[in-house]
Amino acid sequence: MPDTHPALKACSPQAPVTDLYMGDDAYHNGAFMLEANFGFYVIFKPRAGLEYPPKDWDSFDYGTNDGYDFYLSMGRFRTPRNFISKTAIFYWDDQVQHPNYDEFWKVRDISAHMKNVQLRGDDSRRAF
């Protein structure tokens, strides 16, 4: 963890997001993950407070078993607003407005700020 308290002796991030564009959930080295991103955003609802997440998530009715046909009939790539809730659309907008690895993505890459990180165990040390 960057700039952590000196008393912290260990940190074990589980599936951390470091660079959303280069090989993480949103883009895979520049390839926009249309189905994965859309499938997440149609059910994603930012929480208003510290309430527990729902036991059952709402499912989205695609109206067809033909995924290719669904995305083709969606129309313009940048305007799926009639499918995605207004509260989650800002994530979608960020991604489609920055299709290239620009400053928007670079400043969000936490791995650029990680210094002197080491894995320790069975006599091996690797620095990132």
Side-chain angles (χ1 to χ4, degrees):
M1 298 207 32
D3 298 324
T4 188
H5 190 276
L8 182 66
K9 298 299 179 194
C11 177
S12 177
Q14 304 301 308
V17 174
T18 55
D19 188 340
L20 280 169
Y21 191 90
M22 299 299 281
D24 215 307
D25 291 337
Y27 283 83
H28 280 240
N29 298 318
F32 183 68
M33 302 280 293
L34 175 62
E35 192 283 326
N37 287 314
F38 182 85
F40 175 72
Y41 295 134
V42 294
I43 64 164
F44 181 72
K45 308 284 187 292
R47 295 190 311 184
L50 297 176
E51 72 275 4
Y52 287 105
K55 290 184 180 189
D56 295 315
W57 295 93
D58 294 335
S59 60
F60 179 75
D61 180 12
Y62 287 84
T64 181
N65 289 331
D66 186 340
Y68 180 78
D69 183 57
F70 172 78
Y71 289 108
L72 190 61
S73 68
M74 181 188 287
R76 290 192 59 219
F77 178 64
R78 295 181 186 267
T79 57
R81 282 170 172 70
N82 47 337
F83 300 105
I84 300 177
S85 73
K86 291 184 185 339
T87 57
I89 196 71
F90 61 93
Y91 288 119
W92 177 273
D93 286 345
D94 285 346
Q95 291 177 10
V96 298
Q97 289 172 8
H98 298 278
N100 299 315
Y101 194 60
D102 60 12
E103 198 61 25
F104 174 84
W105 297 108
K106 291 174 185 176
V107 299
R108 287 164 174 75
D109 177 9
I110 190 139
S111 67
H113 305 284
M114 305 303 284
K115 306 286 187 248
N116 202 20
V117 176
Q118 299 176 352
L119 294 177
R120 295 182 182 181
D122 64 316
D123 298 330
S124 63
R125 289 186 176 188
R126 273 192 324 192
F128 292 93

